[in-house]
C-alpha cells in the first residue's frame, strides 16, 4: 500500500534544528539551530525563512512566544532561561532579560527541549553538556517547571539522560515526556499547581542494533494530535512514529534525513506536520538533505494550537 502523505523539503539546512513552534497569530513556524544559537521563522504565506543570531548567547535550545508581548520569546541558552526580542525579520535579536538559571551547582548541564503547557506554564529539561561527557552515559539532567512569581525553576523529575519531547493530552490531563538516553516515553499526572506526579514508563522505544554496529534510532522531539496520538521524532531513524493511546504504532512517517529531531503541527488548519532535522552528525557523514525542515501533508491528523508562555506574574527585580 502506497503512502498517502507528501514530504516537502524546506531549506536552509541547520546544524541542529530543534524546537518547532507554530504561531497562529503570525502564521509562522519558529524553530532553532541549537548548537550555533540561531533562530528561524518560516513565513507560511511568503514561503520564506528568516534567520537571526542573538547577541550574548551561545545556544538556543527552543523558542516560545511570550503571551501578550509582541516580538518577545523565551529561549534556553546553556543553563539560562532568557527572554529575547526579535521582529522576525532582522538578522539580529537581543536579550531582554534573564528569567532564571540552573545555578552554579549545575554548570555541567544545559537546557535541551522546552514547551509551554495549555495554561501558559513553561517546562524545560536539561542534559549533560557534551563538553563534560556523554549524556548517553550520565543521567545528570532534570525536568523543570518555571515559576514566574518566584523566578525559580521547580524540579519535576531528575536523573534524566537527555531531556526531550514534551506533550500534553488535554482530555486525560496526562503529560508525556521523552528521555532520549533511556529511550522511552514517560507518562505523568498533573496536579493543580502544574506539578508532574506519578511518573511511569509508558512506552519503550528501544530497537535492536542495526547491522554494521550503527546505533539504532532513539526518541527525540514529540507532539500530540487531537485524537491523543503521539508523533515522535526518531533520531538516526529517518522517521517519525505515530503511536496511539493504546500504545500501538499506527504509522511510520518516512523522512529523507537520518537525524530527525522534532515535530510540530502547523499550517492554517493545523493539519501539516513540520519536522526538524540535524546536519551536525554524531555517527556517519550525512549524504541526505540533513538539517532541512520538512513539511508533511496528507496525514489525516490535526494538532492543537501551540501555547505561549504566560509571564504576567513574572518576578521583577
Amino acid at each position: 500500500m502506497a503512502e498517502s502523505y507528501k514530504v516537502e523539503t524546506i531549506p536552509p539546512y541547520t546544524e541542529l534544528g530543534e524546537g518547532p513552534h507554530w504561531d497562529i497569530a503570525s502564521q509562522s513556524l519558529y524553530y532553532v539551530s541549537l548548537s550555533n544559537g540561531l533562530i528561524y521563522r518560516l513565513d507560511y504565506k511568503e514561503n520564506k525563512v528568516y534567520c537571526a543570531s542573538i547577541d550574548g548567547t551561545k545556544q538556543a535550545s527552543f523558542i516560545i512566544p511570550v503571551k501578550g508581548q509582541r516580538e518577545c520569546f523565551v529561549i534556553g541558552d546553556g543553563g539560562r532561561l532568557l527572554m529575547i526580542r526579535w521582529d522576525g525579520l532582522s538578522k539580529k535579536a537581543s536579550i531582554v532579560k534573564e528569567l532564571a538559571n540552573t545555578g552554579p551547582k549545575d554548570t555541567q548541564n544545559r537546557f535541551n527541549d522546552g514547551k509551554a503547557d495549555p495554561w501558559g506554564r513553561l517546562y524545560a529539561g536539561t542534559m549533560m553538556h557534551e563538553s563534560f561527557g556523554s549524556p548517553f552515559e550520565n543521567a545528570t539532567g532534570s525536568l523543570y517547571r518555571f515559576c514566574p512569581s518566584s523566578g525559580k525553576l521547580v524540579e519535576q523529575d531528575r536523573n534524566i539522560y537527555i531531556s526531550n519531547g514534551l506533550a500534553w493530552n488535554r482530555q486525560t490531563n496526562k503529560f508525556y515526556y521523552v528521555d532520549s538516553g533511556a529511550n522511552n516515553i514517560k507518562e505523568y499526572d498533573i496536579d493543580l499547581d502544574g506539578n508532574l506526579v506519578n511518573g511511569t514508563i509508558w512506552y519503550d522505544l528501544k530497537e535492536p542494533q542495526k547491522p554494521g554496529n550503527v546505533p539504532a534510532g532513539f526518541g527525540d522531539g514529540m507532539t500530540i494530535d487531537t485524537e491523543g496520538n503521539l508523533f515522535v521524532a526518531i533520531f538516526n531513524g529517518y522517521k517519525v512514529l505515530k503511536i496511539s493511546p493504546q500504545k500501538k504504532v499506527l504509522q511510520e512517517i518516512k523522512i529523507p534525513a537520518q537525524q530527525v529531531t522534532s515535530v510540530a503541527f502547523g499550517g492554517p488548519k493545523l493539519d501539516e506536520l513540520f519536522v526538524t532535522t540535524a546536519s551536525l552528525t554524531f555517527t556517519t557523514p550525512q549524504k541526505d538533505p540533513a538539517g532541512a525542515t520538512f513539511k508533511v501533508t496528507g496525514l489525516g491528523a490535526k494538532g492543537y494550537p501551540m501555547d505561549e508562555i504566560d509571564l504576567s506574574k513574572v518576578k521583577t527585580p
Side-chain angles (χ1 to χ4, degrees), residues 12 32 35 53-54 82 100 109 115 154 178 180 233 239 242 261 266 278 286-287 296:
V32 303
S35 52
S53 59
I54 311 164
L82 302 176
N109 289 334
K115 282 184 185 177
V154 182
V178 173
S180 297
K239 63 188 174 185
K242 178 182 179 180
T261 57
Q286 304 295 289
K287 298 179 181 179
V296 186

Side-chain angles (χ1 to χ4, degrees), residues 104-131:
K105 294 182 180 180
D106 202 20
T107 55
Q108 67 178 347
N109 289 334
R110 66 165 177 84
F111 279 110
N112 202 43
D113 210 352
K115 282 184 185 177
D117 75 357
W119 299 272
R121 298 176 295 216
L122 171 64
Y123 295 77
T126 60
M127 57 179 277
M128 175 173 278
H129 195 289
E130 292 85 346
S131 61

Side-chain angles (χ1 to χ4, degrees), residues 8-161:
E8 176 186 340
T9 303
I10 304 171
Y13 300 152
T14 63
E15 275 193 9
L16 183 49
E18 281 283 6
H21 180 103
W22 178 260
D23 180 56
I24 290 179
S26 64
Q27 289 291 286
S28 298
L29 181 78
Y30 289 91
Y31 57 103
V32 303
S33 181
L34 189 155
S35 52
N36 53 355
L38 298 177
I39 55 176
Y40 296 84
R41 182 178 72 90
L42 166 64
D43 187 298
Y44 189 89
K45 185 176 180 180
E46 294 181 2
N47 195 29
K48 180 178 180 180
V49 176
Y50 296 87
C51 176
S53 59
I54 311 164
D55 287 334
T57 67
K58 294 181 179 180
Q59 296 180 326
S61 53
F62 52 84
I63 179 168
I64 309 169
V66 177
K67 185 178 181 179
Q69 298 192 50
R70 187 171 175 268
E71 299 182 0
C72 285
F73 304 84
V74 173
I75 68 162
D77 172 40
R80 303 186 296 170
L81 287 181
L82 302 176
M83 181 192 289
I84 65 165
R85 188 180 304 278
W86 185 39
D87 63 7
L89 300 170
S90 305
K91 294 183 179 180
K92 287 286 186 180
S94 59
I95 297 174
V96 176
K97 60 183 171 182
E98 180 178 304
L99 297 172
N101 64 73
T102 54
K105 294 182 180 180
D106 202 20
T107 55
Q108 67 178 347
N109 289 334
R110 66 165 177 84
F111 279 110
N112 202 43
D113 210 352
K115 282 184 185 177
D117 75 357
W119 299 272
R121 298 176 295 216
L122 171 64
Y123 295 77
T126 60
M127 57 179 277
M128 175 173 278
H129 195 289
E130 292 85 346
S131 61
F132 286 93
S134 170
F136 287 95
E137 299 173 358
N138 298 277
T140 62
S142 295
L143 176 62
Y144 295 102
R145 174 176 60 83
F146 173 61
C147 180
S149 60
S150 68
K152 301 292 185 182
L153 293 166
V154 182
E155 190 177 67
Q156 304 294 298
D157 204 347
R158 61 177 61 184
N159 301 323
I160 306 300
Y161 288 95

Side-chain angles (χ1 to χ4, degrees), residues 253-286:
I253 302 161
K254 298 174 183 176
I255 303 298
Q258 180 176 345
Q259 299 177 152
V260 184
T261 57
S262 196
V263 287
F265 281 102
K269 297 180 180 179
L270 298 177
D271 61 351
E272 302 173 16
L273 189 71
F274 290 93
V275 182
T276 54
T277 66
S279 62
L280 187 69
T281 180
F282 299 111
T283 52
T284 55
Q286 304 295 289

